[in-house]
Amino acid sequence: MGRELTPRDLTGRGPHAGGLWDVVVVGGGNAALCAAITAAEAGARVIILEGAPKTYRGGNSRHTRNFRCMHQGPLSVLTGSYGEEEYFNDLLLVTKGQTDEHLARLAIRTSEECLPWMEAHGVRFQPSLSGTLSLSRTNAFFLGGGKSLVNAYYNTCEDLGVSVIYEAQVSHIGMEGDTFTHVDVSVKGGPVEQIRGKSVVLASGGFQSDLEWLTRAWGPAAANFLIRGTPYNRGVVLKDMIDQGALTVGDPTQCHCVAIDGRAPKFDGGICTRLDCVPFSIVVNKNCERFYDEGEDTWPKRYAIWGRLVAAQPDQVGYSVIDSRSLDLFMPSVFPPVKANTIEELGQKLGLDGEKLAARVAEFNAATRPGTFHPTERDGLATEGLSPPKTNWARPITEAPFYGYSLRPGVTFTYLGLRVSDTAQVQHAHGPLKNVWSAGEMIAGSILGQGYLAGFGMTIGTVFGRIAGREAAAHVL
């Protein structure tokens, strides 16, 4: 049986060394767990090094809700079908073509076999709820959310004899030429020790929680960003591998960045801080100016662009305004909206110029046109003569009471990562590294050049986590 290790358990170069492991997995989220399970089932002796305390294990996977899955017909809780071409075209729309088509199609095609695998390893799904981005055909929702998925996988790891060390801060990946030898790690703030292995899977995420690195990439605006993901992803392993000549992929300024409630905490607010009201609202900046088409497309294909849009506004803040007719059309917010009986009053409560906001709403209302409103699909109900236009769901904002939310950029994970092959093998300037694989957010930039598709991060992590675990085990067995 696997279990959490303590300093008395093992001997070697440091109290946690434990001799020579077949597969060392750096990270403790979805991709890392899929790799560990797959390697252990192949017969490998596996250890997971999770940087977070046990209570916060699982990285950003704790905050996920769903898994985007290709399927030829009804599959588990998924309805209808969602074919490879439609899936890939959805990805092209959000990335604007910035994707590695080979790796993207590999992830898409393999997702179909992943869902039954997930269920076989303890993950339970539920039908999508109303207000969850209209995803019943494309995305399978986790019963109990991402934390239940993480717990199910850790339980499976325990059954398979996988060892786990929590609060294990890996600072260096030891290499001799193109071959991995060991990791340098500090456990619970203790002295740096070495854990040796025959192979390694790197799945410790991006650098979004290192605010200095984020600011170097983005500039001073990053000081106003909120990090809705885990505070433990600081990019230490990523930087160490880059410093050792590993090839990179992705732009450091590109990330999964969504518009979240401005009242969210600086770190770890998670999925519940996202706001889904934008398609049914108008969004203005601090000067009460609209700056983008709120109704450009259905929310699953457009929600992830709004973090960057807000980031480009003065003080990196926006404000979403709706009326009472729209309040029940989206997933309820974790914090109640600001409420007022007039637009002027709402503006004042939001810290805006009430008269300017009222004028902006009046301008929008005058540009709306009659038509049939369909909240769950593009309805062509568009403004006329307004710049920027609102091309769908453009109903006048007239029914009191009125509601408003402040919006801030919420970064989930960054896209700068390691370049890998289709077997998840890490690439170096001098060729592939012999026994180093990577998965999850550390490689997502290969497929997500920009933008995001709901549930696709879990697809990348599951597909390439399983591939990395399979290949790492095959190398040593």
Side-chain angles (χ1 to χ4, degrees):
M1 296 280 287
R3 59 194 177 95
E4 180 183 353
L5 301 180
T6 68
R8 291 188 297 275
D9 285 323
L10 302 167
T11 59
R13 295 197 60 183
H16 301 89
L20 185 66
W21 297 88
D22 289 332
V23 181
V24 178
V25 179
V26 180
N30 172 59
L33 291 164
C34 289
I37 291 168
T38 303
E41 287 184 331
R45 182 169 176 257
V46 182
I47 186 169
I48 292 175
L49 305 177
E50 162 63 292
K54 186 174 183 179
T55 305
Y56 293 102
R57 68 186 184 183
N60 289 333
S61 304
R62 291 186 298 118
H63 296 309
T64 59
R65 289 195 297 179
N66 57 82
F67 172 81
R68 183 172 288 260
C69 183
M70 168 185 151
H71 54 107
Q72 302 301 330
L75 178 66
S76 184
V77 297
L78 294 169
T79 61
S81 64
Y82 187 43
E84 178 180 339
E85 293 306 319
E86 182 184 1
Y87 196 150
F88 183 66
N89 286 334
D90 286 344
L91 179 64
L92 288 181
L93 284 173
V94 298
T95 62
K96 300 188 186 304
Q98 294 187 34
T99 187
D100 181 317
E101 181 172 353
H102 177 66
L103 295 181
R105 288 187 179 276
L106 174 61
I108 289 168
R109 285 193 299 268
T110 311
S111 67
E112 187 168 24
E113 69 184 49
C114 285
L115 192 147
W117 183 91
M118 296 165 77
E119 291 183 317
H121 291 85
V123 179
R124 297 293 176 260
F125 294 94
Q126 65 180 23
S128 59
L129 307 174
S130 62
T132 51
L133 309 183
S134 308
L135 299 174
S136 64
R137 186 172 61 85
T138 60
N139 290 54
F141 281 71
F142 310 131
L143 181 62
K147 195 165 186 179
S148 68
L149 173 140
V150 166
N151 289 341
Y153 284 162
Y154 272 103
N155 289 341
T156 299
C157 283
E158 182 176 357
D159 292 341
L160 290 169
V162 174
S163 296
V164 181
I165 305 179
Y166 296 105
E167 298 181 71
Q169 295 293 322
V170 175
S171 56
H172 176 61
I173 306 300
M175 301 290 299
E176 291 183 1
D178 63 356
T179 302
F180 161 75
T181 57
H182 69 277
V183 297
D184 289 347
V185 60
S186 170
V187 179
K188 298 184 178 180
V192 173
E193 54 188 279
Q194 288 187 357
I195 292 179
R196 296 183 298 124
K198 300 176 184 177
S199 66
V200 67
V201 175
L202 306 177
S204 54
F207 67 85
Q208 67 277 354
S209 295
D210 182 337
L211 299 182
E212 290 186 8
W213 192 347
L214 203 64
T215 301
R216 288 197 302 273
W218 273 86
N224 289 328
F225 293 0
L226 302 176
I227 312 303
R228 72 170 191 155
T230 175
Y232 298 99
N233 285 11
R234 303 184 186 98
V236 175
V237 173
L238 175 62
K239 182 178 185 302
D240 178 64
M241 291 302 297
I242 294 172
D243 289 345
Q244 295 190 69
L247 297 180
T248 62
V249 66
D251 181 340
T253 69
Q254 293 291 342
C255 55
H256 180 1
C257 182
V258 304
I260 66 173
D261 197 305
R263 297 162 291 184
K266 183 68 175 178
F267 291 98
D268 219 25
I271 195 77
C272 68
T273 61
R274 194 182 73 211
L275 295 174
D276 295 344
C277 53
V278 168
F280 310 115
S281 74
I282 66 166
V283 179
V284 300
N285 60 22
K286 63 177 289 188
N287 300 320
C288 297
E289 298 168 342
R290 289 178 62 249
F291 50 90
Y292 199 78
D293 177 1
E294 302 90 347
E296 183 177 43
D297 207 335
T298 52
W299 199 227
K301 299 177 183 178
R302 281 294 173 265
Y303 81 95
I305 71 170
W306 278 87
R308 294 183 70 86
L309 291 170
V310 172
Q313 299 307 305
D315 293 342
Q316 296 72 55
V317 64
Y319 300 89
S320 177
V321 177
I322 61 173
D323 67 10
S324 58
R325 292 187 298 173
S326 297
L327 189 62
D328 296 326
L329 297 178
F330 53 90
M331 183 70 79
S333 55
V334 68
F335 302 111
V338 175
K339 179 180 178 181
N341 290 319
T342 67
I343 295 295
E344 290 90 343
E345 180 189 6
L346 181 65
Q348 292 166 4
K349 286 185 174 182
L350 291 171
L352 301 172
D353 184 316
E355 291 185 2
K356 277 189 177 180
L357 182 62
R360 190 65 62 219
V361 171
E363 176 186 51
F364 170 78
N365 289 345
T368 60
R369 294 295 179 263
T372 303
F373 175 75
H374 292 291
T376 60
E377 60 187 58
R378 288 186 296 178
D379 58 9
L381 191 58
T383 57
E384 185 176 306
L386 189 67
S387 182
K390 184 174 182 181
T391 51
N392 291 284
W393 311 295
R395 292 193 301 180
I397 300 173
T398 55
E399 302 296 325
F402 303 98
Y403 300 90
Y405 295 93
S406 63
L407 306 175
R408 290 276 187 182
V411 179
T412 308
F413 65 93
T414 46
Y415 289 173
L416 176 68
L418 301 178
R419 186 178 298 275
V420 296
S421 67
D422 57 9
T423 58
Q425 192 169 21
V426 174
Q427 306 297 297
H428 189 273
H430 301 301
L433 297 179
K434 186 177 296 183
N435 57 348
V436 183
W437 290 267
S438 187
E441 293 173 2
M442 286 190 79
I443 70 161
S446 293
I447 302 174
L448 291 166
Q450 66 177 56
Y452 189 70
L453 197 60
F456 196 49
M458 290 298 288
T459 307
I460 295 171
T462 305
V463 169
F464 286 94
R466 292 176 67 213
I467 291 173
R470 181 193 73 203
E471 296 296 316
H475 176 77
V476 300
L477 296 176

